[in-house]
Amino acid sequence: PTGSGYYNGNGYALTLTQPIFNYQTWKSISSAHYSVKAATATYLAAAQDLMFRVAQAYFNVLSANDKLRYTISQKQAFLRQLITAEQKFKVGLIAITGVYDAQASYDRSVADEIKDRNNLANQIENLRAITGVQYKKLKGLRKTVPLVIPKPGNIEQWVRLADQQNYAIKSNLYTMLAARETIKENAAARYPRVTASASYGTTTNGVLSGLGTAAPGTGGGINEVVTTNGAVALGVDFPVFQGGYVSAKTKQAEYNYLSASDQLEFQHRNVTNQTRQAFLGVQSGISQIQADVQAIKSARNKLEATQAGYVVGTRTMVDVLNAVTALTQAQQTWADDRYKYVISIITLEQQAGTLSPQNLM
């Protein structure tokens, strides 16, 4: 008998798929684009916030050190008055109340020194917590600080600059835009999607033929049969019903957008407020420091006059102690106002998005 059959078949196939229209994917990419921008702005805002916090912690240490220094100076002045009062009491020039007044002031200054030393240690720890370095000493401000208003010298220009460049505002703006695109992305889940596909493949089969009846010297043979297939298709996927899922997700995205919009408005108002306060702080700081210098001179003159009056008996020990306290307070106020002035400048730069290591230097 004769016969034939398939033997040792093989083949391959290649399929390509290309989305033609998918609005949901487009909106997803757009949302991700804004999210990346928001994350970048958040990072830059955090970097500026770090610089501000380091500077603030640095000046807090200097301020605490100045306060301790003036408290020690005050304590020494009270001690001198206490010694003087005790000597005068021994010779009968003053009543015991003068000694009690001087002793009370000295004891209070001792307590203040303990409190101020603890505050200085705390401020040093706060700086260490940010920088990770335990500093043994810090360089202070020069005795004479240049008192100038940063350029531009107009408050409205700074507000406009902050509105355009503040990284916190930019972060919230891009977050809001990403939320807006998410609304469209979720709503697009009910839109049709169009996809094109193309396929190509071949199949090769070996065929055995002429078995059992071949003449002597001849025999059956193996023939190869090659089959080629190709196709191009266009598909449309149209989600008809999803049980309200798309509507619920879209509504949720709309509320998220409203929340992001409100957050942007809040951040805008907050930045405007801080920018204005910082600019006004710089302006008033200049006048305040100049007034503090004069106040220290006046307090020192008053102390000298009061001490002279005490020697001749026209002033009491309480008057001298109050004059010492007034001088110390004037000196502390001058030191604090200088740091507030510098911090106001740094705050102004931060709100405008221009704070950098070069500014701090």
Side-chain angles (χ1 to χ4, degrees):
T2 63
S4 63
Y6 290 101
Y7 174 75
N8 194 25
N10 58 77
Y12 70 90
L14 177 65
T15 302
L16 300 177
T17 302
Q18 174 62 48
I20 301 298
F21 175 79
N22 191 331
Y23 191 73
Q24 186 177 25
T25 300
W26 292 347
K27 293 293 109 177
S28 176
I29 295 174
S30 180
S31 177
H33 173 73
Y34 287 123
S35 295
V36 170
K37 285 191 172 184
T40 302
T42 299
Y43 171 79
L44 294 175
Q48 292 214 330
D49 181 65
L50 175 62
M51 287 186 283
F52 174 80
R53 289 188 294 112
V54 170
Q56 189 173 49
Y58 185 97
F59 289 122
N60 285 343
V61 173
L62 298 185
S63 178
N65 182 70
D66 286 345
K67 193 172 189 308
L68 174 61
R69 181 161 53 88
Y70 290 130
T71 298
I72 294 176
S73 177
Q74 183 187 51
K75 184 188 73 171
Q76 293 172 347
F78 285 153
L79 179 60
R80 290 193 296 269
Q81 296 304 321
L82 175 59
I83 294 174
T84 300
E86 289 176 340
Q87 292 174 346
K88 286 191 173 185
F89 172 72
K90 288 179 181 179
V91 297
L93 295 178
I94 63 172
I96 190 63
T97 54
V99 177
Y100 290 159
D101 291 335
Q103 184 69 54
S105 296
Y106 175 75
D107 292 341
R108 186 180 66 251
S109 66
V110 171
D112 290 340
E113 180 185 357
I114 296 174
K115 180 183 66 175
D116 292 343
R117 287 187 183 277
N118 182 67
N119 180 53
L120 175 59
N122 289 338
Q123 297 304 330
I124 292 175
E125 284 301 311
N126 290 337
L127 180 60
R128 185 197 62 79
I130 299 176
T131 64
V133 179
Q134 186 70 37
Y135 298 95
K136 296 186 179 298
K137 64 179 181 178
L138 298 176
K139 186 176 180 179
L141 291 178
R142 290 178 296 178
K143 187 174 182 179
T144 302
V145 176
L147 303 178
V148 294
I149 297 178
K151 296 181 181 180
N154 183 278
I155 189 172
E156 297 302 329
Q157 289 180 301
W158 279 101
V159 171
R160 287 194 296 270
L161 193 63
D163 190 46
Q164 296 171 0
Q165 298 183 172
N166 183 270
Y167 289 112
I169 290 180
K170 287 185 176 182
S171 176
N172 283 275
L173 172 62
Y174 291 131
T175 299
M176 184 194 71
L177 294 176
R180 186 189 64 182
E181 296 303 300
T182 301
I183 296 175
K184 300 176 182 178
E185 176 189 351
N186 289 323
R190 61 169 62 95
Y191 296 172
R193 293 184 289 271
V194 180
T195 303
S197 62
S199 62
Y200 177 82
T202 63
T203 302
T204 303
N205 292 303
V207 180
L208 300 178
S209 60
L211 297 179
T213 59
T218 65
I222 299 177
N223 298 322
E224 290 188 349
V225 178
V226 179
T227 305
T228 302
N229 297 309
V232 176
L234 190 66
V236 179
D237 180 15
F238 189 83
V240 178
F241 179 72
Q242 299 187 41
Y245 175 78
V246 174
S247 298
K249 291 288 290 183
T250 303
K251 181 64 68 175
Q252 181 184 25
E254 290 173 353
Y255 286 130
N256 290 338
Y257 170 75
L258 293 176
S259 176
S261 177
D262 290 340
Q263 184 63 34
L264 172 62
E265 178 62 22
F266 171 79
Q267 189 65 47
H268 168 74
R269 296 183 183 184
N270 184 53
V271 168
T272 300
N273 178 48
Q274 292 192 30
T275 302
R276 290 182 177 276
Q277 288 187 358
F279 186 87
L280 296 175
V282 173
Q283 277 189 327
S284 63
I286 295 176
S287 301
Q288 187 66 47
I289 293 172
Q290 293 171 343
D292 291 338
V293 173
Q294 186 60 43
I296 292 175
K297 294 180 180 179
S298 299
R300 185 173 286 113
N301 292 335
K302 180 181 178 180
L303 175 59
E304 294 174 355
T306 304
Q307 287 175 330
Y310 177 69
V311 171
V312 299
T314 59
R315 293 298 182 93
T316 66
M317 175 58 67
V318 173
D319 294 332
V320 176
L321 297 175
N322 289 339
V324 172
T325 301
L327 175 59
T328 302
Q329 290 177 345
Q331 291 171 330
Q332 291 178 348
T333 300
W334 170 76
D336 290 341
D337 288 340
R338 295 206 313 161
Y339 297 128
K340 290 179 181 177
Y341 166 75
V342 178
I343 287 295
S344 294
I345 295 178
I346 295 176
T347 302
L348 193 60
E349 295 281 356
Q350 179 194 18
Q351 297 305 313
T354 57
L355 183 60
S356 66
Q358 287 71 26
N359 295 134
L360 296 180
M361 290 177 62

